[in-house]
Amino acid sequence: MQTLFLALFVSYVVAMAIVRLQRLHLPYTGDEHSSARQKYHHGVVPRVGGVAVALGCGAALAWSGWRGLVGIESGWLLIAVGPAFAAGLWEDLTKRVGPMARLLATLAAGVLGAWLLQVQLTHVDIGWLDAWLGWQPVQDWAIAPLGLLLTVIGVAGLSNAINIIDGFHGLSAAVSILMFIALGYVGWAVGDALVVQVSLAMAGALLGFLVWNFPRGLIFLGDGGAYLTGFVLAQTGVLLTVRNPEVSAWFVLLVCAYPVTETLFSIYRKLLVRNVSPAMPDGLHLHMLVYRRLLRWAAGPAAARDVTRRNAATSPYLWALSSLSVMPAVLLWRWPWALQACTALYAAVYVLLYRRLVRFRSPVWLRRSVGAGSQPDSSR
């Protein structure tokens, strides 16, 4: 547990320094509220919380390495995340890095991780697909092209998925902590010290950041922090399944079902339903619907008028939704067929919930009560 507490302490102190000294750097690091559809906060807030998470995780893994609990692989992991973290952090500072450039950076990080750590997916517990994933064009060649492609797409995809759900105070950080705890538990069950230590380091670093992020939103994770978290989460899942064949890739997929489903459904909704680019931002993600439609009814008139309280009150709903996939994944990690069934069921529940929220209407009495003290929500 030393790894977790050291990561928590370092991340907490760095985040505190960023918050307390913000007058020195806010013109560069600030994320100002605007009319943009993704902005649900007041004032200018530092969006470089990823620096605290990176330093917390790095310090904890260095300590674990000094104690002999992990080897050079932890260092390779931190190097591999560099392109994704750097691109995200530069966007946090300049607001000028486009979605395609950041996507390419996460893909590059995925390739670098597969090369440095010498891991790529070889099984997904689907017979015919497993045969293709393990296919090598040359007998002695260490690279299976399809396995490498799936690994890189999965790592880059989850990196961007965590960024997509990073919309409200405490949302992505707390969900990621749940997912790292799940990976760490199964890593402990199969005796994989690297997976355990990385999971503890990231959970601790995110918890230290979360103290300042939830519920008041004094600091944001930012693109750099979201890409860092998503990359390490995905790469830890790949390490767990490749190094321990008894662990199904469906376990990792079910653990990460919320951000993965959100991303895939968003692509479907934008590309096929609305006929726009998947990179085009909008205000129709599930967490935004919870904020706009459900919170006015659930939190009452006072909270509905208070943006900060309403922002923070949104996240627990999504924590609960994420736990609906994390808990069965932890309980059923030994049985691929059960994991596959739960993954399909979770996707169905997500779509049903989304449809219900789209059609949701607050009670008339509550709309009138809120309207008496403020303008009605434009989403109605």
Side-chain angles (χ1 to χ4, degrees):
M1 297 297 288
Q2 293 181 31
T3 301
L4 185 145
F5 288 119
L6 179 60
L8 190 158
F9 174 75
V10 173
S11 178
Y12 175 87
V13 171
V14 174
M16 178 176 65
I18 293 173
V19 171
R20 298 302 186 193
L21 301 175
Q22 60 181 287
R23 65 183 183 278
L24 303 178
H25 57 75
L26 206 57
Y28 310 100
T29 65
D31 188 356
E32 185 175 2
H33 169 77
S34 69
S35 59
R37 294 172 179 175
Q38 302 90 344
K39 306 295 185 182
Y40 299 99
H41 66 276
H42 281 312
V44 185
V45 181
R47 56 180 286 180
V48 290
V51 173
V53 176
L55 292 177
C57 178
L61 288 179
W63 174 250
S64 296
W66 185 80
R67 296 167 61 207
L69 298 177
V70 294
I72 191 63
E73 295 91 348
S74 61
W76 295 140
L77 177 63
L78 295 177
I79 292 174
V81 75
F85 178 64
L89 184 61
W90 192 242
E91 162 63 11
D92 295 330
L93 295 174
T94 67
K95 290 77 173 175
R96 295 178 180 177
V97 183
M100 183 56 65
R102 283 176 276 147
L103 175 60
L104 291 175
T106 56
L107 289 170
V111 173
L112 189 59
W115 175 58
L116 290 175
L117 294 165
Q118 294 295 296
V119 290
Q120 57 192 43
L121 289 173
T122 57
H123 68 284
V124 292
D125 295 310
I126 299 177
W128 62 270
L129 185 54
D130 287 351
W132 279 101
L133 291 177
W135 173 74
Q136 298 176 350
V138 179
Q139 184 175 0
D140 297 328
W141 199 20
I143 297 177
L146 294 180
L148 176 62
L149 179 62
L150 182 60
T151 302
V152 172
I153 292 176
V155 170
L158 189 55
S159 301
N160 285 273
I162 296 299
N163 194 39
I164 286 176
I165 67 168
D166 184 29
F168 292 95
H169 302 166
L171 176 52
S172 61
V175 167
S176 297
I177 289 171
L178 287 175
M179 295 188 288
F180 274 114
I181 290 174
L183 295 181
Y185 168 77
V186 174
W188 171 80
V190 298
D192 194 321
L194 176 62
V195 169
V196 172
Q197 294 301 309
V198 171
S199 299
L200 288 174
M202 281 300 299
L206 287 166
L207 188 58
F209 158 81
L210 188 63
V211 172
W212 297 97
N213 175 248
F214 184 85
R216 294 179 294 169
L218 300 178
I219 185 173
F220 294 159
L221 196 59
D223 285 21
Y227 290 143
L228 167 72
T229 301
F231 177 89
V232 177
L233 184 66
Q235 198 67 66
T236 303
V238 172
L239 286 166
L240 178 62
T241 58
V242 172
R243 290 156 57 102
N244 308 279
E246 66 270 34
V247 181
S248 172
W250 286 91
F251 162 72
V252 179
L253 181 60
L254 184 56
V255 165
C256 303
Y258 165 51
V260 169
T261 306
E262 175 68 41
T263 301
L264 294 178
F265 188 76
S266 177
I267 293 173
Y268 159 78
R269 174 171 50 80
K270 294 178 182 180
L271 192 62
L272 299 181
V273 177
R274 301 182 59 205
N275 196 29
V276 299
S277 168
M280 182 71 65
D282 66 13
L284 297 176
H285 292 293
L286 180 64
H287 52 275
M288 297 175 182
L289 292 179
V290 171
Y291 173 87
R292 290 177 170 178
R293 297 184 180 272
L294 184 59
L295 257 293
R296 171 173 290 179
W297 170 79
R305 289 192 295 266
D306 188 329
V307 173
T308 300
R309 288 174 58 195
R310 192 174 167 194
N311 184 314
T314 301
S315 296
Y317 288 90
L318 284 309
W319 299 346
L321 180 63
S322 179
S323 68
L324 293 180
S325 69
V326 172
M327 288 191 294
V330 170
L331 294 174
L332 303 172
W333 68 269
R334 296 178 180 86
W335 297 288
W337 61 270
L339 295 169
Q340 293 169 357
C342 287
T343 302
L345 179 60
Y346 185 87
V349 169
Y350 176 95
V351 173
L352 177 62
L353 178 61
Y354 190 96
R355 286 172 58 87
R356 292 296 297 270
L357 283 174
V358 167
R359 299 175 179 179
F360 184 83
R361 290 295 182 270
S362 302
V364 174
W365 66 267
L366 183 57
R367 291 202 298 269
R368 288 177 178 172
S369 177
V370 174
S374 63
Q375 294 298 318
D377 196 323
S378 60
S379 66
R380 291 299 185 275

Coordinates of all heavy atoms in Angstrom, one line a residue, residues 4-39:
L4 N 0.4 3.2 -3.2 CA -0.9 4.0 -3.3 C -0.7 5.3 -2.5 O -1.1 6.4 -3.0 CB -2.1 3.2 -2.8 CG -3.5 3.8 -2.9 CD1 -4.5 2.8 -3.2 CD2 -3.8 4.6 -1.6
F5 N -0.3 5.2 -1.2 CA -0.2 6.4 -0.4 C 0.8 7.4 -0.9 O 0.6 8.6 -0.7 CB 0.1 6.0 1.1 CG -1.1 5.3 1.7 CD1 -1.0 4.0 2.2 CD2 -2.3 6.0 1.8 CE1 -2.1 3.4 2.8 CE2 -3.4 5.4 2.4 CZ -3.3 4.1 2.9
L6 N 1.9 6.9 -1.4 CA 2.9 7.9 -1.9 C 2.4 8.6 -3.1 O 2.6 9.8 -3.3 CB 4.2 7.1 -2.3 CG 5.3 8.0 -2.9 CD1 5.7 9.1 -1.9 CD2 6.5 7.2 -3.3
A7 N 1.7 7.9 -4.0 CA 1.1 8.5 -5.2 C 0.1 9.5 -4.8 O 0.0 10.6 -5.4 CB 0.5 7.4 -6.1
L8 N -0.7 9.1 -3.8 CA -1.8 10.1 -3.3 C -1.2 11.3 -2.8 O -1.6 12.4 -3.1 CB -2.6 9.3 -2.3 CG -3.9 10.0 -1.7 CD1 -4.8 9.0 -1.1 CD2 -3.6 11.1 -0.7
F9 N -0.1 11.2 -1.9 CA 0.5 12.3 -1.3 C 1.1 13.3 -2.3 O 0.9 14.5 -2.3 CB 1.6 11.8 -0.3 CG 2.4 13.0 0.3 CD1 1.8 13.8 1.3 CD2 3.7 13.2 -0.1 CE1 2.5 14.8 1.9 CE2 4.4 14.3 0.4 CZ 3.8 15.1 1.4
V10 N 1.9 12.7 -3.2 CA 2.6 13.6 -4.2 C 1.6 14.3 -5.1 O 1.7 15.5 -5.4 CB 3.6 12.7 -5.1 CG1 4.1 13.6 -6.3 CG2 4.7 12.2 -4.2
S11 N 0.6 13.5 -5.6 CA -0.5 14.1 -6.4 C -1.2 15.2 -5.7 O -1.5 16.3 -6.2 CB -1.4 13.0 -6.9 OG -2.5 13.6 -7.7
Y12 N -1.6 15.0 -4.4 CA -2.3 15.9 -3.6 C -1.5 17.2 -3.5 O -2.0 18.3 -3.6 CB -2.6 15.3 -2.2 CG -3.2 16.3 -1.3 CD1 -4.6 16.5 -1.2 CD2 -2.5 17.0 -0.4 CE1 -5.2 17.4 -0.4 CE2 -3.0 17.9 0.5 CZ -4.4 18.1 0.5 OH -5.0 19.0 1.4
V13 N -0.2 17.1 -3.2 CA 0.6 18.3 -2.9 C 0.8 19.1 -4.2 O 0.7 20.3 -4.2 CB 2.0 17.9 -2.4 CG1 3.0 19.0 -2.3 CG2 1.8 17.3 -1.0
V14 N 1.0 18.4 -5.3 CA 1.2 19.1 -6.6 C -0.1 19.8 -7.0 O 0.0 20.9 -7.5 CB 1.7 18.1 -7.7 CG1 1.7 18.8 -9.1 CG2 3.1 17.5 -7.4
A15 N -1.2 19.1 -6.9 CA -2.5 19.7 -7.2 C -2.7 20.9 -6.3 O -3.2 21.9 -6.8 CB -3.6 18.7 -7.1
M16 N -2.4 20.8 -5.1 CA -2.6 21.9 -4.2 C -1.7 23.1 -4.6 O -2.2 24.3 -4.6 CB -2.2 21.5 -2.7 CG -2.3 22.7 -1.7 SD -2.0 22.1 0.0 CE -0.2 21.7 -0.2
A17 N -0.5 22.8 -5.0 CA 0.4 23.9 -5.5 C -0.2 24.6 -6.7 O -0.2 25.8 -6.9 CB 1.8 23.4 -5.8
I18 N -0.7 23.8 -7.6 CA -1.3 24.3 -8.9 C -2.5 25.2 -8.5 O -2.7 26.3 -9.1 CB -1.8 23.2 -9.8 CG1 -0.5 22.4 -10.3 CG2 -2.6 23.7 -11.0 CD1 -0.9 21.2 -11.1
V19 N -3.3 24.8 -7.6 CA -4.5 25.6 -7.2 C -4.1 26.8 -6.5 O -4.6 27.9 -6.8 CB -5.5 24.7 -6.3 CG1 -6.6 25.6 -5.7 CG2 -6.0 23.6 -7.1
R20 N -3.2 26.7 -5.5 CA -2.8 27.9 -4.7 C -2.0 28.9 -5.4 O -2.1 30.1 -5.1 CB -2.0 27.4 -3.5 CG -2.8 26.4 -2.5 CD -4.0 27.1 -2.0 NE -4.7 26.3 -1.0 CZ -5.9 26.5 -0.5 NH1 -6.6 27.4 -1.0 NH2 -6.4 25.7 0.4
L21 N -1.3 28.5 -6.4 CA -0.4 29.4 -7.2 C -1.0 29.7 -8.5 O -0.3 30.2 -9.4 CB 1.0 28.8 -7.4 CG 1.7 28.4 -6.1 CD1 3.1 27.7 -6.4 CD2 2.0 29.7 -5.2
Q22 N -2.3 29.5 -8.7 CA -2.9 29.7 -10.0 C -2.8 31.1 -10.6 O -2.8 31.3 -11.8 CB -4.3 29.2 -10.0 CG -5.2 30.0 -9.1 CD -6.7 29.4 -9.1 OE1 -7.4 29.7 -10.1 NE2 -7.0 28.7 -8.1
R23 N -2.7 32.1 -9.7 CA -2.6 33.5 -10.2 C -1.3 33.6 -11.1 O -1.2 34.6 -11.9 CB -2.5 34.4 -9.1 CG -1.3 34.3 -8.2 CD -1.4 35.3 -7.0 NE -0.2 35.3 -6.1 CZ 0.0 34.4 -5.2 NH1 -0.9 33.4 -5.0 NH2 1.1 34.4 -4.5
L24 N -0.3 32.8 -10.9 CA 0.9 32.8 -11.7 C 0.8 32.2 -13.1 O 1.6 32.5 -14.0 CB 2.1 32.2 -10.9 CG 2.4 32.8 -9.5 CD1 3.5 32.0 -8.8 CD2 2.7 34.2 -9.6
H25 N -0.1 31.3 -13.2 CA -0.1 30.5 -14.5 C -1.5 30.4 -15.1 O -1.6 29.9 -16.2 CB 0.4 29.0 -14.2 CG -0.4 28.3 -13.2 ND1 -1.7 27.8 -13.4 CD2 -0.1 28.0 -11.9 CE1 -2.1 27.2 -12.3 NE2 -1.2 27.3 -11.4
L26 N -2.5 31.0 -14.5 CA -3.9 30.8 -15.0 C -4.1 31.3 -16.4 O -4.9 30.8 -17.2 CB -4.9 31.5 -14.0 CG -6.3 30.9 -14.0 CD1 -6.3 29.4 -13.7 CD2 -7.2 31.6 -13.0
P27 N -3.4 32.4 -16.8 CA -3.6 32.9 -18.2 C -3.2 31.8 -19.2 O -3.7 31.8 -20.4 CB -2.6 34.1 -18.3 CG -2.5 34.6 -16.9 CD -2.5 33.4 -16.1
Y28 N -2.3 30.8 -18.8 CA -1.9 29.8 -19.7 C -2.6 28.5 -19.5 O -2.9 27.7 -20.4 CB -0.4 29.5 -19.6 CG 0.4 30.8 -19.6 CD1 0.9 31.4 -18.5 CD2 0.7 31.4 -20.9 CE1 1.6 32.6 -18.6 CE2 1.4 32.6 -20.9 CZ 1.9 33.2 -19.8 OH 2.6 34.3 -19.8
T29 N -3.0 28.2 -18.2 CA -3.5 26.9 -17.9 C -5.0 26.9 -17.7 O -5.7 25.9 -17.4 CB -2.9 26.4 -16.6 OG1 -3.2 27.2 -15.5 CG2 -1.4 26.3 -16.7
G30 N -5.7 28.1 -17.7 CA -7.1 28.2 -17.3 C -8.0 27.7 -18.4 O -7.8 27.8 -19.6
D31 N -9.1 27.1 -17.9 CA -10.2 26.7 -18.7 C -11.4 27.5 -18.4 O -12.1 27.2 -17.4 CB -10.5 25.2 -18.5 CG -11.5 24.6 -19.5 OD1 -12.0 25.4 -20.3 OD2 -11.8 23.4 -19.5
E32 N -11.7 28.6 -19.1 CA -12.7 29.5 -18.8 C -14.1 29.0 -19.3 O -14.2 28.5 -20.4 CB -12.4 30.9 -19.4 CG -13.4 32.0 -19.0 CD -13.0 33.3 -19.6 OE1 -12.0 33.4 -20.3 OE2 -13.7 34.3 -19.3
H33 N -15.1 29.2 -18.4 CA -16.4 28.9 -18.8 C -16.8 29.8 -20.0 O -16.5 31.0 -20.1 CB -17.4 29.2 -17.7 CG -18.8 29.2 -18.1 ND1 -19.5 28.0 -18.4 CD2 -19.7 30.2 -18.4 CE1 -20.8 28.3 -18.7 NE2 -20.9 29.6 -18.8
S34 N -17.5 29.2 -21.0 CA -17.9 29.9 -22.2 C -19.3 29.3 -22.6 O -19.9 28.5 -21.9 CB -16.9 29.7 -23.3 OG -16.9 28.4 -23.8
S35 N -19.7 29.7 -23.7 CA -21.0 29.2 -24.3 C -20.8 27.9 -24.9 O -21.8 27.3 -25.5 CB -21.6 30.2 -25.3 OG -20.6 30.4 -26.3
A36 N -19.6 27.3 -24.9 CA -19.4 26.0 -25.6 C -20.3 25.0 -24.9 O -20.6 25.0 -23.7 CB -17.9 25.6 -25.4
R37 N -20.7 24.0 -25.7 CA -21.6 23.0 -25.2 C -21.1 22.1 -24.1 O -21.8 21.5 -23.4 CB -22.1 22.1 -26.4 CG -22.9 22.9 -27.4 CD -23.2 22.1 -28.7 NE -24.0 22.8 -29.6 CZ -24.3 22.3 -30.8 NH1 -23.9 21.2 -31.2 NH2 -25.0 23.1 -31.7
Q38 N -19.7 22.0 -24.0 CA -19.1 21.1 -23.1 C -18.8 21.8 -21.8 O -18.2 21.2 -20.9 CB -17.9 20.4 -23.6 CG -18.1 19.7 -24.9 CD -17.9 20.5 -26.2 OE1 -17.9 21.8 -26.1 NE2 -17.7 19.9 -27.3
K39 N -19.1 23.1 -21.6 CA -18.7 23.8 -20.4 C -19.8 23.9 -19.4 O -20.9 24.4 -19.7 CB -18.2 25.2 -20.8 CG -17.1 25.2 -21.9 CD -15.8 24.6 -21.4 CE -14.7 24.7 -22.5 NZ -13.5 24.1 -22.1

